[in-house]
Amino acid sequence: YESIPADHPLLLRLANIAADNGVPIDIHFDPAVAEMKAPEWLEVPPNPAAFKANTAAFERLIAHNRNAKIGWAHAGSDMLGHWTPALSRRMLAAHPNLFMSLRLGPGRAQMSFPLLPNGQIKPPWLALFGEFSDRFVIGNDQFFLGRGVSGGPAATFAQRASKVRHNANRFLAALPPEIARKIASENARRLYRL
């Protein structure tokens, strides 16, 4: 596990560069709303034994330059268990330059995963997607292996890619069509200027 403070001077500078050039930036950020002991599965050195609260620093980054479009990567695949619809709603309401990319793959904290086993979307998440339908995109980071690559983290992530794509299709099929269209393509075209 690696992290730097979200309001680190270099990230604030990156926000300014992104704003000046009209390009969004994606931030991989695992929220810890309060200090917490590391989850059992992360209790392996050199990972930290505890995580400090970090959402205030992330909000300082987002607010630093409101012209910077900040993408919060991996909604739906929370590793610490704090990324809830309530937190998402509060952050989206407070920060008009924030959007979220959904990663609908295997995650540790299933309360953040928006799909139920039957393929329906959990009601709190569905309400959030309806309320902020112009602020979500399907996550765009997938792993594909080149010839001759057979091991390591890239291979592990590549093995999960088909499940992520399958879940994304299930997710989009469960949304009302107008919201699915926005999240599947229209928002990405607008935010990434495609």
Side-chain angles (χ1 to χ4, degrees):
Y1 186 89
E2 297 177 358
S3 70
I4 61 165
D7 59 352
H8 187 282
L10 290 177
L11 289 177
L12 299 178
R13 190 167 195 184
L14 178 63
N16 290 337
I17 292 168
D20 290 347
N21 291 282
V23 296
I25 55 175
D26 280 352
I27 302 292
H28 291 234
F29 174 73
D30 296 318
V33 298
E35 188 165 332
M36 64 179 284
K37 184 179 178 300
E40 184 177 309
W41 66 275
L42 271 177
E43 289 179 348
V44 179
N47 292 331
F51 293 90
K52 295 179 179 169
N54 60 11
T55 53
F58 187 51
E59 288 195 78
R60 285 190 291 275
L61 169 65
I62 301 165
H64 172 71
N65 188 328
R66 292 292 187 190
N67 292 319
K69 291 182 240 168
I70 308 288
W72 186 358
H74 297 326
S77 186
D78 176 27
M79 293 304 200
L80 300 179
H82 290 186
W83 197 341
T84 63
L87 175 63
S88 299
R89 178 174 282 104
R90 184 182 72 71
M91 297 286 278
L92 289 166
H95 303 287
N97 58 321
L98 177 67
F99 67 98
M100 295 183 180
S101 72
L102 295 159
R103 182 176 182 271
L104 300 159
R108 297 284 179 170
Q110 289 305 307
M111 74 179 190
S112 70
F113 192 69
L115 280 174
L116 292 165
N118 66 4
Q120 296 302 303
I121 298 173
K122 293 176 183 174
W125 281 106
L126 185 57
L128 182 71
F129 299 136
E131 187 176 345
F132 294 98
S133 63
D134 61 337
R135 309 271 289 282
F136 286 91
V137 297
I138 296 294
N140 55 11
D141 59 341
Q142 293 281 308
F143 285 77
F144 300 92
L145 296 180
R147 288 191 181 106
V149 178
S150 60
T156 300
F157 286 118
Q159 290 170 352
R160 298 176 187 163
S162 64
K163 179 144 178 86
V164 172
R165 289 190 301 276
H166 173 74
N167 284 342
N169 287 333
R170 288 176 59 219
F171 168 77
L172 292 170
L175 287 171
E178 64 279 2
I179 296 174
R181 205 170 32 257
K182 286 181 175 184
I183 293 175
S185 61
E186 291 174 6
N187 294 342
R189 279 193 213 104
R190 177 178 43 83
L191 291 163
Y192 294 103
R193 297 173 18 192
L194 301 175

